[in-house]
């Protein structure tokens, strides 16, 4: 906070300079990326922003009204957003993977792509990508201070209002894409759709709805139908929209929303339908659940190319089905086929090897996504086990946000037959809103739930690891450990392994799931792309 206040003094003292001058001035070295990150964190405690957040809980429409005001203060008009040629994607699970597939396909056609996603795994810059890569530190710093300065300079005439972190980053992403002159933007919805900050756009070229599931119930409601209503809020009159196969009640709501808004809604075919004409399609992202996301990405990219650039060269047919347009397959171009195969999306069905330890990473955090994750792990771990030179031990590394039902999710993971389960808090700098005591209690609750679903536990085998030392193991062989944070859990998995099921194993397979924050902690520790 001290650095933040000092920064404000400096900015006002140099008020004769433009924001661009400040960002590019070589003598203004104190305005670093870390200064930007601290200032971004400070927005989460800004009194006016918190007051607005409370108001939007009562009247969600105010969120979009406020977002519109923030963009005006930054200097971004509705016409500027229209020129970004946006593809807008909502959904409970799979929307990030869908966006990644879509971005890679369109990049293959030679377009300069912008991709806005959330949350990030390690660095906030991951949320804003140009041509598939997170923007660099220099660009992030430059554009961050341009946007922040414009909001800071105008807040007194707007009741002192500043945005919270997410709307600020959304405005920043738009600013970056406009300044960097991208040819297409793939825009992932944050939460919901109807009242999400990204829904400020009026004229996307095409919209998509990935798989629906129960999540964020305190905001979106506790049924698939209620959640579908929010997701369908991104539909726009006359703008083509696509969805994957959905639960019947969710699909009915999407259909009704589309008819009300006068939006042509189509259901994507199975991925296998495309393969009848072009042979098997290989996906760069593993797991059968990715087939839905790949099919949606094919329709989104295909339609964007039709509407935007190639109106005569791509054709497909459709038939009516229960009020929806049911698409038949079209033959993907070689560029599309290559795009699907080349897609990478860290932290989603990703395999990372570190010596004798192989991490199977998936940020699944809903019931259906955990179910898909477990199926992927069982199949992929078994394949890896065939090439092992000795016994393979299986470890579950799990953590989840407190508002989610960890007991129900852990029950789905029991059939994976883990030799050991590790429960931990998130990376120390990723869970700052939760006290150490709450983190520990949450981990103990998860451990208790795990044992309730596992056989042969008598509530006497709990083992607790401190930050710096391993407490003596009880005489009875335990099968769980609790750690305060991700770093200490990883240290034990890779360096300790005193537990009997692990000490004599030739290889260890670790399924890391429940949260993208947890997966990000592993990537930061062991993946060179994130640990620089």
């Amino acid at each position: 906070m001290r650095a933040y206040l000092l920064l404000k003094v400096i900015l006002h003292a140099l008020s004769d300079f433009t924001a661009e001058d400040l960002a590019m001035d070589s003598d203004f070295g104190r305005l670093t990326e870390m200064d930007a990150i601290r200032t971004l964190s400070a927005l989460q405690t800004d009194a006016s922003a918190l007051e607005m957040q409370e108001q939007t809980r009562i009247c969600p429409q105010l969120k979009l009204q406020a977002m519109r005001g923030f963009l005006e203060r930054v200097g971004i008009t509705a016409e500027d957003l229209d020129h970004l040629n946006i593809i807008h994607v909502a959904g409970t699970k799979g929307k990030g993977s869908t966006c990644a597939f879509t971005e890679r396909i369109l990049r293959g056609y030679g377009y300069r792509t912008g991709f806005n996603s959330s949350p990030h795994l390690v660095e906030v810059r991951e949320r804003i990508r140009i041509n598939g890569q997170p923007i660099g530190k220099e660009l992030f710093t430059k554009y961050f201070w341009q946007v922040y300065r414009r909001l800071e300079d105008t807040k007194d005439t707007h009741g002192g209002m500043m945005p919270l972190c997410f709307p600020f980053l959304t405005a920043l992403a738009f600013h970056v894409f406009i300044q960097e002159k991208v040819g297409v933007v793939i825009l992932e919805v944050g939460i919901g759709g109807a009242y999400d900050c990204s829904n400020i756009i009026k004229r996307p070229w095409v919209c998509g709805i990935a798989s629906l599931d129960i999540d964020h119930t305190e905001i979106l409601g506790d049924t698939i139908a209620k959640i579908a209503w929010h997701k369908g809020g991104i539909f726009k009159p006359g703008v083509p929209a696509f969805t994957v196969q959905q639960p019947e009640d969710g699909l009915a709501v999407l259909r009704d929303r589309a008819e009300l808004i006068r939006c042509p809604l189509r259901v994507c075919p199975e991925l296998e339908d495309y393969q009848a004409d072009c042979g098997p399609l290989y996906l760069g992202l593993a797991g059968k659940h990715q087939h839905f996301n790949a099919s949606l990405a094919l329709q989104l990219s295909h339609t964007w190319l039709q509407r935007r650039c190639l109106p005569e060269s791509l054709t497909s047919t459709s038939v009516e089905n229960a009020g929806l347009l049911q698409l038949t397959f079209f033959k993907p171009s070689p560029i599309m086929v290559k795009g699907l195969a080349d897609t990478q999306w860290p932290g989603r069905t990703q395999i990372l090897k570190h010596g004798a330890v192989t991490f199977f990473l998936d940020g699944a955090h809903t019931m259906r996504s955990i179910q898909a994750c477990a199926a992927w792990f069982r199949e992929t771990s078994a394949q890896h086990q065939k090439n092992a030179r000795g016994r393979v031990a299986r470890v579950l590394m799990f953590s989840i946000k407190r508002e989610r039902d960890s007991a129900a999710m852990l029950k789905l993971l029991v059939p994976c037959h883990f030799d050991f389960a590790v429960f931990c808090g998130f990376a120390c700098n990723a869970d700052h809103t939760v006290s150490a005591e709450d983190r520990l209690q949450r981990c103990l609750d998860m451990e208790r739930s795990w044992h309730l679903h596992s056989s042969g536990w008598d509530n006497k085998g709990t083992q607790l690891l401190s930050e710096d030392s391993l407490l003596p193991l009880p005489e009875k062989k335990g099968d769980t450990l609790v750690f305060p944070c991700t770093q200490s859990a990883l240290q034990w998995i890779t360096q300790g392994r005193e537990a009997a099921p692990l000490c004599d194993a030739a290889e260890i397979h670790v399924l890391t799931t429940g949260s993208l924050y947890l997966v990000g902690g592993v990537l930061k520790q062991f993946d060179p792309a994130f640990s620089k």
Side-chain angles (χ1 to χ4, degrees):
M1 184 59 70
R2 181 180 179 184
Y4 170 69
L5 294 174
L6 176 61
L7 175 62
K8 290 181 67 174
V9 172
I10 294 173
L11 286 173
H12 284 295
L14 297 176
S15 57
D16 290 337
F17 290 81
T18 66
E20 289 79 0
D21 291 331
L22 288 172
M24 297 302 292
D25 189 345
S26 60
D27 294 330
F28 207 73
R30 291 186 179 87
L31 289 182
T32 65
E33 181 196 21
M34 288 309 301
D35 292 325
I37 298 302
R38 294 188 191 99
T39 304
L40 191 61
S41 296
L43 288 175
Q44 289 298 97
T45 60
D46 181 85
S48 64
L50 292 173
E51 181 180 353
M52 171 55 67
Q53 182 182 47
E54 188 60 32
Q55 292 176 4
T56 58
R57 287 176 182 171
I58 302 172
C59 184
Q61 295 88 338
L62 291 177
K63 185 184 296 184
L64 291 178
Q65 180 179 328
M67 188 66 195
R68 193 173 297 110
F70 295 141
L71 292 179
E72 290 175 357
R73 288 160 61 183
V74 173
I76 297 175
T77 67
E79 290 73 22
D80 292 330
L81 298 181
D82 290 343
H83 292 155
L84 290 177
N85 306 315
I86 292 171
I87 297 173
H88 203 191
V89 183
T92 308
K93 61 191 187 74
K95 61 182 183 293
S97 298
T98 297
C99 289
F101 280 126
T102 306
E103 186 279 331
R104 189 63 189 87
I105 289 171
L106 294 178
R107 183 159 31 107
Y109 277 93
Y111 295 103
R112 182 171 171 81
T113 61
F115 178 9
N116 181 218
S117 65
S118 65
H120 59 275
L121 291 169
V122 177
E123 302 284 351
V124 71
R125 294 181 290 108
E126 299 167 37
R127 297 180 181 229
I128 305 173
R129 295 171 181 260
I130 303 291
N131 282 339
Q133 296 299 315
I135 59 173
K137 293 183 179 181
E138 290 185 3
L139 277 185
F140 175 80
T141 304
K142 168 187 172 181
Y143 290 130
F144 180 94
W145 293 115
Q146 288 180 5
V147 171
Y148 183 82
R149 176 66 187 275
R150 293 172 187 178
L151 290 167
E152 175 75 10
D153 284 350
T154 55
K155 75 174 187 178
D156 288 343
T157 57
H158 291 82
M161 186 183 299
M162 292 290 284
L164 286 167
C165 179
F166 189 81
F168 180 92
L169 288 172
T170 303
L172 175 61
F174 287 143
H175 180 68
V176 170
F177 297 147
I178 292 168
Q179 297 302 312
E180 291 296 305
K181 297 180 172 56
V182 301
V184 55
V185 167
I186 298 89
L187 183 63
E188 179 186 351
V189 168
I191 295 178
Y195 305 123
D196 184 73
C197 294
S198 67
N199 206 31
I200 196 70
I201 61 173
K202 297 297 182 185
R203 292 177 56 190
W205 285 88
V206 60
C207 297
I209 307 292
S211 297
L212 300 176
D213 200 357
I214 302 295
D215 199 16
H216 300 295
T217 55
E218 71 284 0
I219 299 174
L220 307 179
D222 57 359
T223 67
I224 290 291
K226 292 177 182 178
I227 290 170
W229 185 92
H230 282 273
K231 307 297 182 182
I234 70 169
F235 294 155
K236 301 294 185 296
V239 175
F242 299 86
T243 185
V244 300
Q245 296 291 340
Q246 304 284 9
E248 185 176 344
D249 51 347
L251 190 60
V253 172
L254 292 178
R255 179 193 60 208
D256 292 345
R257 290 280 269 162
E259 290 179 355
L260 180 65
I261 297 173
R262 301 189 307 280
C263 161
L265 176 64
R266 296 169 171 86
V267 178
C268 297
E270 300 286 341
L271 189 65
E272 291 71 23
D273 293 337
Y274 304 92
Q275 299 173 171
D277 201 21
C278 68
L281 293 171
Y282 175 76
L283 304 183
L285 303 181
K288 292 182 179 179
H289 58 288
Q290 293 292 355
H291 291 195
F292 295 104
N293 305 326
S295 179
L296 180 54
L298 284 172
Q299 296 295 337
L300 293 174
S301 55
H302 172 89
T303 302
W304 189 90
L305 289 166
Q306 279 186 311
R307 299 195 72 211
R308 179 65 183 162
C309 306
L310 307 171
E312 302 300 329
S313 63
L314 297 174
T315 59
S316 61
T317 58
S318 58
V319 295
E320 291 290 340
N321 179 30
L324 298 171
L325 289 173
Q326 178 74 47
L327 287 177
T328 61
F329 69 90
F330 62 86
K331 182 178 180 179
S333 70
I335 293 177
M336 290 178 174
V337 173
K338 188 176 188 302
L340 293 178
D342 290 346
T343 298
Q344 295 182 338
W345 192 226
R348 288 80 172 176
T349 58
Q350 179 184 359
I351 297 174
L352 181 64
K353 193 167 181 61
H354 179 76
V357 180
T358 301
F359 290 96
F360 296 78
L361 306 171
D362 191 74
H365 53 267
T366 69
M367 294 295 290
R368 292 178 66 191
S369 59
I370 286 287
Q371 202 167 21
C373 171
W376 164 72
F377 174 73
R378 287 196 300 269
E379 179 180 347
T380 311
S381 176
Q383 293 173 353
H384 281 247
Q385 193 167 342
K386 292 177 182 179
N387 301 320
R389 297 183 177 180
R391 192 178 71 84
V392 175
R394 289 183 169 188
V395 176
L396 172 64
M397 184 179 181
F398 187 86
S399 191
I400 202 165
K401 293 181 72 173
R402 55 186 168 182
E403 65 268 18
R404 297 193 169 102
D405 188 352
S406 61
M409 293 181 189
L410 287 169
K411 185 177 181 179
L412 296 175
L413 294 169
V414 169
C416 291
H417 302 296
F418 293 102
D419 299 291
F420 217 89
V422 171
F423 303 98
C424 60
F426 300 138
C428 295
N429 61 352
D431 207 15
H432 57 83
T433 60
V434 181
S435 69
E437 293 79 8
D438 286 344
R439 282 201 301 269
L440 175 58
Q441 185 58 55
R442 187 170 61 193
C443 291
L444 292 172
D445 290 342
M446 289 186 287
E447 183 193 42
R448 187 175 298 108
S449 296
W450 177 254
H451 283 304
L452 288 174
H453 294 305
S454 303
S455 60
W457 185 64
D458 61 4
N459 204 27
K460 297 179 181 178
T462 296
Q463 302 164 57
L464 175 62
L465 291 183
S466 67
E467 190 86 36
D468 303 313
S469 62
L470 175 65
L471 296 178
L473 295 176
E475 292 182 5
K476 175 185 175 182
K477 184 177 75 174
D479 62 352
T480 58
L481 286 173
V482 169
F483 294 85
C485 68
T486 307
Q487 293 93 323
S488 53
L490 291 174
Q491 183 177 8
W492 181 84
I493 290 172
T494 57
Q495 300 175 21
R497 295 169 48 185
E498 289 90 345
L502 306 186
C503 64
D504 61 347
E507 294 184 16
I508 300 176
H509 290 181
V510 183
L511 174 61
T512 305
T513 191
S515 167
L516 284 170
Y517 288 120
L518 179 64
V519 168
V522 177
L523 291 173
K524 185 174 183 178
Q525 190 78 15
F526 298 122
D527 190 335
F530 289 92
S531 58
K532 295 177 181 177

